[in-house]
């Protein structure tokens, strides 16, 4: 029987994506990475999905790479094999950032290596008290900068904290992650999904295109060449959005003291 490596639950305009290899601590094998890559890449054209919640079954969010879970090509050398695996996993993190839907992650237990990067690539992170995150790569003779960690982590927590953890591979606890702003809140594991869904419901109160373009602007302006570039992007987005039918509906609903009826146009 083929392993169902992820499950997808539709809750209206919200989809809950669950890593489903609890017996392997949700470690990344090839089917899991392919499923995540296909899913996040496919979100580009799915206007029916407005928010994604990423979670995991069992006691761990993701323990990193499953070294036994990748197909071997007998005609390829170790460099080619490693490069194929490396690029496939990296593409998942990139697809998460490029998809127009906000990704809310809720995590418990170990989130190591690639599992840590899945959290870093998300837009909002909630964590259980037992979360233990690390850039595990440096612990196995590799560099600590992998799967986007050297890009995401300094932007989220600053260069000093990022260097502390990337140069050692040591574990970051829930208290530390909260103190440095890496996670939004520490939540009991049994309440994680409810917390994420409540935030998703708040996001659904906004105009669909406004929500998508807000994620877009946040992504682009993290790397803005100057303050002027950042303001320029915001100005263009706001003027464009002000001409949409949903913007007209929002103003009408405000004066009529009712909730807007979004049409996504």
């Amino acid at each position: 029987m083929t392993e169902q490596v992820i499950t997808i639950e539709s809750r209206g305009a919200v989809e809950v994506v669950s890593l489903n290899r609890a017996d392997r601590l949700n470690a990344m094998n090839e089917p899991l990475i392919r499923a995540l890559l296909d899913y996040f890449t496919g979100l580009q054209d799915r206007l029916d999905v407005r928010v994604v919640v990423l979670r995991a079954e069992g006691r761990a969010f993701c323990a990193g790479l499953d070294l036994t879970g990748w197909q071997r090509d007998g005609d390829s050398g170790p460099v080619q094999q490693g490069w194929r695996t490396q690029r496939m996993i990296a593409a998942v993190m990139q697809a998460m950032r490029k998809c127009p839907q906000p990704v809310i992650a809720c995590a418990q237990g170990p989130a190591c290596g690639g599992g840590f990067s899945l959290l870093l690539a998300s837009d909002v992170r909630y964590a259980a008290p037992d979360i233990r995150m690390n850039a595990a790569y440096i612990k196995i003779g590799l560099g600590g900068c992998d799967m986007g960690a050297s890009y995401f982590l300094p932007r989220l927590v600053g260069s000093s904290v990022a260097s502390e953890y990337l140069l050692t591979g040591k574990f970051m606890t829930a208290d530390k992650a909260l103190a440095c702003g890496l996670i939004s809140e520490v939540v009991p594991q049994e309440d994680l999904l409810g917390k994420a869904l409540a935030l998703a419901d708040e996001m659904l109160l906004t105009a669909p295109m406004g929500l998508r373009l807000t994620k877009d602007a946040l992504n682009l302006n993290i790397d803005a060449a100057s303050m002027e570039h950042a303001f320029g992007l915001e100005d263009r987005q706001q003027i464009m959005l002000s001409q949409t039918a949903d913007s007209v509906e929002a103003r009408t609903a405000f004066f009529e003291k009712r909730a807007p009826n979004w049409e996504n146009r």
Side-chain angles (χ1 to χ4, degrees):
M1 183 180 294
T2 302
E3 180 184 24
Q4 188 177 9
V5 290
I6 66 172
T7 62
I8 301 170
E9 178 189 357
S10 178
R11 298 193 178 209
V14 179
E15 283 194 341
V16 179
V17 180
S18 302
L19 309 184
N20 193 41
R21 304 191 72 221
D23 60 321
R24 300 286 295 177
L25 300 182
N26 296 305
M28 293 175 167
N29 66 352
E30 185 167 344
L32 174 63
I33 291 303
R34 284 192 179 278
L36 289 174
L37 182 57
D38 289 346
Y39 176 77
F40 283 108
T41 302
L43 287 174
Q44 285 289 342
D45 300 319
R46 292 192 59 195
L47 297 181
D48 60 309
V49 180
R50 296 190 56 203
V51 183
V52 173
V53 175
L54 179 64
R55 60 175 300 278
E57 299 290 351
R59 64 183 182 87
F61 178 72
C62 175
L65 184 66
D66 184 347
L67 296 174
T68 67
W70 292 80
Q71 293 182 356
R72 297 291 177 182
D73 182 353
D75 296 328
S76 298
V79 172
Q80 291 88 344
Q81 294 276 7
W83 181 252
R84 172 176 170 273
T85 300
Q86 184 84 16
R87 292 308 304 161
M88 190 184 298
I89 299 174
V92 173
M93 317 308 169
Q94 293 169 318
M96 290 174 65
R97 297 310 305 155
K98 291 178 180 178
C99 75
Q101 297 84 353
V103 179
I104 305 169
C106 39
Q108 72 282 353
C112 307
F116 187 30
S117 290
L118 284 175
L119 295 181
L120 298 180
S122 301
D123 297 288
V124 180
R125 290 158 292 277
Y126 293 121
D130 67 346
I131 190 79
R132 297 178 74 243
M133 301 173 283
N134 77 329
Y137 328 102
I138 202 168
K139 292 289 194 179
I140 55 172
L142 303 175
C145 299
D146 197 7
M147 301 303 163
S150 62
Y151 179 84
F152 294 125
L153 194 58
R155 286 164 170 79
L156 292 166
V157 302
S159 62
S160 180
V161 174
S163 296
E164 177 185 354
Y165 285 89
L166 295 183
L167 291 169
T168 64
K170 69 178 184 177
F171 282 98
M172 182 182 290
T173 63
D175 289 344
K176 178 66 174 182
L178 183 63
C180 66
L182 182 59
I183 60 175
S184 294
E185 192 172 334
V186 179
V187 182
Q189 181 174 343
E190 62 271 20
D191 298 332
L192 277 173
L193 180 57
K195 185 71 176 180
L197 291 172
L199 181 63
D201 285 341
E202 287 190 63
M203 292 179 178
L204 294 182
L205 297 176
T206 67
M209 186 173 289
L211 186 64
R212 294 196 299 271
L213 290 188
T214 299
K215 175 172 177 174
D216 183 64
L218 280 167
N219 281 340
L220 292 172
N221 282 344
I222 284 175
D223 295 319
S226 67
M227 179 181 68
E228 287 75 15
H229 281 78
F231 273 85
L233 175 62
E234 290 177 351
D235 292 344
R236 286 163 177 77
Q237 281 197 357
Q238 295 297 63
I239 294 302
M240 181 174 68
L241 288 167
S242 72
Q243 303 306 304
T244 63
D246 279 343
S247 180
V248 174
E249 166 63 9
R251 292 192 293 273
T252 302
F254 175 80
F255 287 112
E256 294 179 355
K257 299 184 179 353
R258 61 172 175 81
N261 296 311
W262 304 123
E263 297 182 10
N264 198 21
R265 62 185 183 91

